[in-house]
Every structure is written in structure tokens, then in C-alpha cells.
Amino acid sequence: MKHIYSILMLISLLFVGTACEDDYRDMVFFTGEAPIYQIGTCDNLIGSVNLYLDKPEGIILGIDGGDGNYSITNGDNSIVSAAFVKSENGYQRLLVTPKSTGEIMITVRDSDGHSASLAVKVMDCMKLVLSKEQEGVVVLGDVTDEQKNDIVKAFSDLPAVKMGGLYELIPDEGKSFFEEGVLRVYLNDSAVPPLVGRYERVPVLVEGIEKSGIQFAYGDEKHIYRVGPSVEFTKSMPQDPYLYFWEEVTELCPVEVPEGCSIFFVTLLKLS
């Protein structure tokens, strides 16, 4: 009986070893000391990465899986350079450094034909890009349709940034995206040289309550926005793909505004 138990244990171990070997053949890129595969945990496996020309040191990633006999496809081109560096903790390391702006796919293969691909996007610097998607005038308060139409028409030429224009937020060293930094404004599209200014987080009053907003200053213009009807800025990068910027323009209205009314110019911006 003892011998039968030993044989069953040996068979079980063989099946486990086969399963582990199959799993091991899936090649992956990872960050940190070792890949994390546990279900239900925050893993560190990645399929894409952003690099910046102002950070030429690039990034070092680990590779797991396959038979370990790796080779690189598209490892040296005009956009990035990818090369193997010294292994650490038993894992091969890949150094990817930026060379020029653009996007490229880096592929690592093993001798059995297994592979893993990494999408790399290189930008000139770390930045948050907001593209203008929609705009409109919102009139709050007791107002007739005729008065509202007059107000909306009066602001038809207000925005200097046209549809498709871009705002680029480049945070100062050690700051988050919505604290303060350099602002680049493309009035029409990215093919036209931008206006360069500054942005910073500032307080704004919303129904008598102080909230957190953001100020854009470029050229001769200065704008103070809040996001959404009741959404505040945080120190973390927003997760949603769209933001509503609300700017109160009541005092700028060239036509008579009914008493007690407030006018906002609202812009829908897409994060990209």
C-alpha cells in the first residue's frame, strides 16, 4: 500500500510539472523584481509602456516564459532602442530607451517560436493631452428662450481654441498633472506651433462653497475652470476619458443678463 501511495504521488507531481511547464511557455513582460501571476492580486504584467525624450534613461523590464533563448524584433530603430541587459533574480531584463517621438511594437521571441509583444509610445515629455471635442453655453436661472438665444449667440466667437484644438499639461518636477506646470495650447491642431503658458490649481466658488479648480494662462488670456457640476480635481491622474470644463463668463456677456442668472461656457475635453 505504501508503494502504491508513493507511485500515485509521483504521478501527481509529473502532472503538476507538466502543467507548470505549459504555463511557463507563455511569454510576458513585467515590471519589478518578478512577475506576479496570482489571481485576484494586482499583477505587474504589461503589454504597453509610454516613454519620454526628457527621460532618456528609458525603462528596464523583465521577461518570463518561453525557453529562455530570446531574440528581439525591431530592437533598434528610429523610435526606440531595445537591448538585453544583465539578468536579475533569474529573469532576463530588457532595456528600452527612447530616441524620437512615435509608436512602435517590440517583439521578443524564443527558439521555439513563442513570443511576447510590447507596444511602446514615445512622447517628447511627460504630459497630459486634452483635445477639444464639444463646446456650448449654459445659462442658469430664470430666463426666456429669446434671452437665452441672444446670450448664446453673443458668445459664438468666444473661444480662441477651436474644435480639435489641444491643451498639453506638462507638470513641474515633483508635481502631479493637475497641480502646476507648463501649458501648451494648440488653437486648431498640433500642426500649428502652440501658445506656451502656465497652469495651476486654484480655488473656485461653486454655489458659495470653495472648490478646487484650475487656471490656464497663455498669451493675453486667463481662464479659470472647474470640472463638471460638482467634481473636484485630485492629485491623481483622472481615469475617465472625458472631462467637462466649466468657466463662468457672466461678467463677459456683451448683452443684458437677467438678474440672478449665471452663464457658463462649457467645453468637453477628451484625455489622450
Side-chain angles (χ1 to χ4, degrees):
M1 185 70 178
K2 183 176 180 181
H3 292 294
I4 294 175
Y5 177 76
S6 299
I7 292 172
L8 291 174
M9 285 295 294
L10 179 59
I11 293 173
S12 298
L13 289 173
L14 286 174
F15 276 115
V16 170
T18 302
C20 290
E21 184 179 355
D22 289 340
D23 290 340
Y24 184 72
R25 291 193 178 280
D26 293 332
M27 293 177 57
V28 294
F29 295 98
F30 65 90
T31 59
E33 295 184 357
I36 301 174
Y37 293 106
Q38 289 90 339
I39 298 175
T41 64
C42 181
D43 64 53
N44 59 344
L45 312 182
I46 66 170
S48 63
V49 65
N50 291 336
L51 300 179
Y52 308 95
L53 294 179
D54 65 341
K55 297 184 182 299
E57 65 275 13
I59 187 172
I60 295 178
L61 303 172
I63 307 171
D64 189 27
D67 61 11
N69 187 17
Y70 302 132
S71 61
I72 306 171
T73 302
N74 292 336
D76 190 8
N77 55 66
S78 61
I79 298 176
V80 299
S81 177
F84 294 126
V85 292
K86 185 178 179 181
S87 298
E88 295 180 5
N89 300 325
Y91 297 100
Q92 177 65 61
R93 302 290 164 164
L94 179 72
L95 172 63
V96 184
T97 53
K99 296 168 68 175
S100 64
T101 57
E103 299 182 37
I104 189 68
M105 188 73 72
I106 301 297
T107 300
V108 173
R109 304 181 185 277
D110 71 358
S111 61
D112 286 336
H114 301 97
S115 65
S117 294
L118 180 73
V120 183
K121 182 177 182 179
V122 179
M123 295 180 282
D124 56 351
C125 60
M126 188 175 182
K127 60 188 175 183
L128 182 65
V129 180
L130 304 173
S131 59
K132 188 171 184 178
E133 300 288 313
Q134 296 180 18
E135 63 184 25
V137 176
V138 174
V139 183
L140 301 180
D142 189 8
V143 60
T144 66
D145 289 341
E146 183 179 357
Q147 290 172 321
K148 182 178 179 180
N149 290 336
D150 289 341
I151 292 173
V152 171
K153 184 178 179 180
F155 283 105
S156 60
D157 295 327
L158 174 66
V161 180
K162 306 304 179 183
M163 303 301 294
L166 302 173
Y167 298 95
E168 291 184 346
L169 281 63
I170 305 170
D172 289 342
E173 186 71 28
K175 300 293 185 179
S176 65
F177 279 108
F178 282 120
E179 287 187 289
E180 61 180 318
V182 175
L183 174 68
R184 296 197 297 214
V185 181
Y186 295 86
L187 300 182
N188 294 296
D189 55 52
S190 57
V192 179
L195 299 175
V196 180
R198 296 281 302 175
Y199 74 89
E200 62 179 322
R201 189 162 52 186
V202 296
V204 295
L205 289 178
V206 180
E207 298 178 349
I209 301 175
E210 186 174 289
K211 301 282 187 176
S212 184
I214 190 168
Q215 175 179 279
F216 285 179
Y218 54 93
D220 297 328
E221 298 192 30
K222 184 178 292 186
H223 303 272
I224 297 178
Y225 305 101
R226 63 180 175 89
V227 178
S230 60
V231 178
E232 297 184 35
F233 283 107
T234 65
K235 289 188 177 182
S236 62
M237 186 174 177
Q239 299 299 312
D240 295 331
Y242 294 97
L243 293 175
Y244 282 98
F245 271 24
W246 291 64
E247 179 184 17
E248 184 167 3
V249 292
T250 307
E251 296 182 358
L252 300 177
C253 187
V255 299
E256 184 178 357
V257 178
E259 185 176 353
C261 288
S262 298
I263 306 171
F264 293 88
F265 194 86
V266 184
T267 304
L268 176 63
L269 299 167
K270 181 179 180 180
L271 282 73
S272 57

